[in-house]
Amino acid sequence: MNEPAQNKSITSASGGGQGHLADVPPGPGGRKITRRQFLARGAAALIGAGLLTGGYSWQGETRWLDISRLTLDWKELPAAFSGMKLVHFSDVHLGFNKDAGDVKRLISHIRKAEPDLICFSGDIVDSYPEDLEESVPLFAGLTAPMGKYAVLGNHDYKHAEKLVGLLEAAGFRVLRNGHVLIRKGNEAIAVAGMEDYLINSPGPDPKAALGGISPGTFTVLLMHEPDYADFVQEYPIHLQLSGHSHGGQIRIPFIGAPFVPDGSVKYISGLYTVGEPKRKLYVNRGFGETYMPLRFMCRPELTVFTLRRMEG
C-alpha cells in the first residue's frame, strides 16, 4: 500500500491538468471543480456507502493494522547506532472510532518490535484531552532505551497544554520547536520536533528546533504535516517522520485518494526522497480515523525502521 521509495509528487483529485468544465457542479465556496474531482468524489461517496453497509471499511479495515518494515542506510549514521530499531506511529485520534482498547492492540505490536526509539508524529486525540486519559497508563508501560518522543498535530492544539501534560505522564518527551541529543559513548544522533504547520501560533520554527545541532549530526525530524519537508531542505535533516494524511483513508482504484488534507497534498503515504538522495521522508498512514470512521485500500499503519550505517 505504500508509495514507491522515490520522490513522487502526488496531488489530490484537483491535479492532472484537467480543465474546469461548465457542466460540473461547483464545489465548496462556489468554486467549480474539475471533472476528475467530480467523478472521484462521486465514486468515493458510492463506495463509502456500500462499504459502510457491508461493514468492511468500518469494522474490517479500520482494525486491520499494517506493520510496515523498512531498512534504511546512511553513511552519516554513527556506527554505535547502526542496527537500531525506530518505531513510528501517528494519528491515533482517540475519541473518534478509537479508544483505550485499540491502544492496547497498538501497544502489543510496538512491544513485539522491540524498539530502541519510539516516535509519535501528532494527533493523539481527535478533539478532547479526556479521551487520552484512560490510555496514559498503557502508553506509560511502553519502554525504549533511547526514549519516546512526540509532537502535536493540528487536532491537538485545542487543548495543547493539557495534552502535553498527559503525553509527558505517559513517558513521552514532547518536542515543541526543540531537539534532544541521544548519546552512545562519544557518538550522538539528534531527534527534533516542530510545532504544527497549520497552526499559526506558535507555528514551526526550524531555527529553534534545528539550529543548535552540530553540523554532521544524524538528525531525525518529527513534523506532523509531511509537505513541510519542502520548506526545510536547507537544514541537515536525514529522516523526517510525518503523518496527518491518513494516506487519504479512502483510496479508489486507478484514482488514488480523492481527499487529502492541507499539508499533505504532495506527500501522502510511504517513503520519499526529498531533494538530495540522503534526505528521506516517511509518511505514516496513521492508526486512527477522522471525519469518517472508514478506511478502504488504506489500512492503519505502524512503521518499524531498522537504521544502518552504510559503509564505504
Side-chain angles (χ1 to χ4, degrees), residues 1 61 90-93 96 98 122-123 125-126 154-155 224 226 242-251 257 259-261 264 267-270 283-292 294-301:
M1 297 295 296
E61 193 161 314
S90 193
D91 297 270
V92 179
H93 286 274
F96 184 90
K98 290 290 185 289
D123 279 358
V125 298
D126 198 69
N154 56 301
H155 280 252
H224 186 60
S242 297
H244 185 58
S245 71
H246 297 210
Q249 271 191 210
I250 302 292
R251 297 184 69 86
F259 306 105
V260 289
S264 58
Y267 304 114
I268 299 176
S269 175
V283 188
N284 183 285
R285 296 191 302 274
F287 180 68
E289 297 78 42
T290 191
Y291 299 114
M292 300 181 294
L294 309 173
R295 282 184 180 265
F296 180 64
M297 295 187 68
C298 192
R299 290 163 58 190
E301 180 180 15

Side-chain angles (χ1 to χ4, degrees), residues 54-300:
Y56 168 75
S57 66
W58 177 34
Q59 294 293 336
E61 193 161 314
T62 60
R63 303 290 191 263
W64 187 14
L65 185 65
D66 181 18
I67 302 176
S68 302
R69 302 179 188 275
L70 295 89
T71 298
L72 301 177
D73 303 301
W74 284 274
K75 292 180 180 178
E76 297 81 6
L77 184 70
F81 292 86
S82 187
M84 65 174 283
K85 280 190 179 179
L86 186 163
V87 168
H88 173 214
F89 68 107
S90 193
D91 297 270
V92 179
H93 286 274
L94 284 164
F96 184 90
N97 207 40
K98 290 290 185 289
D99 58 22
D102 298 294
V103 169
K104 286 181 182 178
R105 292 189 298 107
L106 174 65
I107 286 175
S108 70
H109 289 289
I110 294 176
R111 283 201 181 105
K112 288 176 184 177
E114 299 181 338
D116 298 298
L117 176 65
I118 298 173
C119 293
F120 172 68
S121 54
D123 279 358
I124 191 67
V125 298
D126 198 69
S127 296
Y128 303 108
E130 292 78 14
D131 293 322
L132 173 58
E133 289 176 350
E134 188 179 355
S135 297
V136 166
L138 302 175
F139 282 120
L142 275 178
T143 59
M146 296 183 194
K148 304 186 299 190
Y149 301 93
V151 292
L152 300 179
N154 56 301
H155 280 252
D156 298 325
Y157 280 83
K158 297 173 186 176
H159 307 278
E161 299 307 321
K162 186 167 184 179
L163 281 171
V164 168
L166 290 169
L167 284 167
E168 289 176 344
F172 287 90
R173 172 80 175 266
V174 182
L175 299 171
R176 306 188 70 179
N177 290 331
H179 69 268
V180 296
L181 293 178
I182 302 172
R183 300 186 182 277
K184 277 192 168 186
N186 295 324
E187 297 181 316
I189 64 172
V191 179
M194 283 195 282
E195 302 280 10
D196 191 87
Y197 173 45
L198 300 180
I199 304 299
N200 292 327
S201 180
D205 186 342
K207 288 185 179 179
L210 301 160
I213 299 173
S214 299
T217 302
F218 183 88
T219 300
V220 178
L221 173 66
L222 307 185
M223 179 66 189
H224 186 60
E225 287 87 6
D227 287 359
Y228 196 74
D230 286 343
F231 297 101
V232 287
Q233 291 194 42
E234 70 271 27
Y235 291 91
I237 299 162
H238 297 86
L239 176 63
Q240 177 178 325
L241 301 177
S242 297
H244 185 58
S245 71
H246 297 210
Q249 271 191 210
I250 302 292
R251 297 184 69 86
I252 300 172
F254 310 112
I255 293 175
F259 306 105
V260 289
D262 289 345
S264 58
V265 173
K266 184 175 182 181
Y267 304 114
I268 299 176
S269 175
L271 184 66
Y272 301 86
T273 296
V274 180
E276 56 183 296
K278 70 180 181 181
R279 181 187 294 267
K280 303 296 182 184
L281 163 67
Y282 194 86
V283 188
N284 183 285
R285 296 191 302 274
F287 180 68
E289 297 78 42
T290 191
Y291 299 114
M292 300 181 294
L294 309 173
R295 282 184 180 265
F296 180 64
M297 295 187 68
C298 192
R299 290 163 58 190

Side-chain angles (χ1 to χ4, degrees), residues 38-55:
F38 178 68
L39 294 174
R41 293 178 185 185
L46 290 172
I47 290 175
L51 291 172
L52 181 58
T53 301

Side-chain angles (χ1 to χ4, degrees), residues 21-28 30-35 37-38 41:
L21 302 176
D23 59 339
V24 176
R31 293 173 295 178
K32 292 180 179 179
I33 62 176
T34 66
R35 181 178 293 278
Q37 282 180 302
F38 178 68
R41 293 178 185 185

